[in-house]
Amino acid sequence: MRWNSHLTTMKSILPYKLVIDELTTNNDSWEELAFSSQDWALIGESCEVLEPIKKLTKSLESEKESTINKVHLYYLSNAQLQAGGQQLPNT
């Protein structure tokens, strides 16, 4: 399974958090399948991190337009992430 499939799966279960928690905590045979609050937090945070990457990946897959300018933007965004979110000097 690829990372974008994992993202789709995680995004699809988030709206059903309450139902999933209810089913797994009130059913002894499903209790071992229950997500902890840390699990739900990780799922949410993973979606937040992966969604922009998914959008960038889709835009770089374009066959109808030039994408080299997007590579430069990706480089700058990645450099900013590496710098801990600090504003980078103009290049």
Side-chain angles (χ1 to χ4, degrees), residues 30-56:
W30 291 3
E31 192 172 20
E32 66 186 39
L33 301 174
F35 291 112
S36 69
S37 58
Q38 292 89 358
D39 293 333
W40 284 114
L42 181 60
I43 291 169
E45 291 168 12
S46 297
C47 290
E48 288 178 23
V49 169
L50 292 174
E51 188 60 35
I53 298 169
K54 177 184 174 185
K55 289 179 182 177
L56 177 63

Side-chain angles (χ1 to χ4, degrees), residues 6-83:
H6 287 287
L7 173 60
T8 301
T9 302
M10 289 186 293
K11 284 174 53 178
S12 71
I13 68 168
L14 281 174
Y16 302 103
K17 178 188 180 306
L18 293 176
V19 174
I20 292 169
D21 283 345
E22 183 72 23
L23 287 172
T24 56
T25 56
N26 293 331
N27 187 330
D28 291 338
S29 61
W30 291 3
E31 192 172 20
E32 66 186 39
L33 301 174
F35 291 112
S36 69
S37 58
Q38 292 89 358
D39 293 333
W40 284 114
L42 181 60
I43 291 169
E45 291 168 12
S46 297
C47 290
E48 288 178 23
V49 169
L50 292 174
E51 188 60 35
I53 298 169
K54 177 184 174 185
K55 289 179 182 177
L56 177 63
T57 300
K58 283 291 184 190
S59 71
L60 290 174
E61 290 175 351
S62 174
E63 293 181 12
K64 296 180 181 178
E65 62 180 80
S66 172
T67 57
I68 192 67
N69 59 331
K70 294 176 184 174
V71 172
H72 181 70
L73 289 173
Y74 168 75
Y75 169 78
L76 292 176
S77 297
N78 190 42
Q80 188 169 359
L81 285 173
Q82 296 290 331

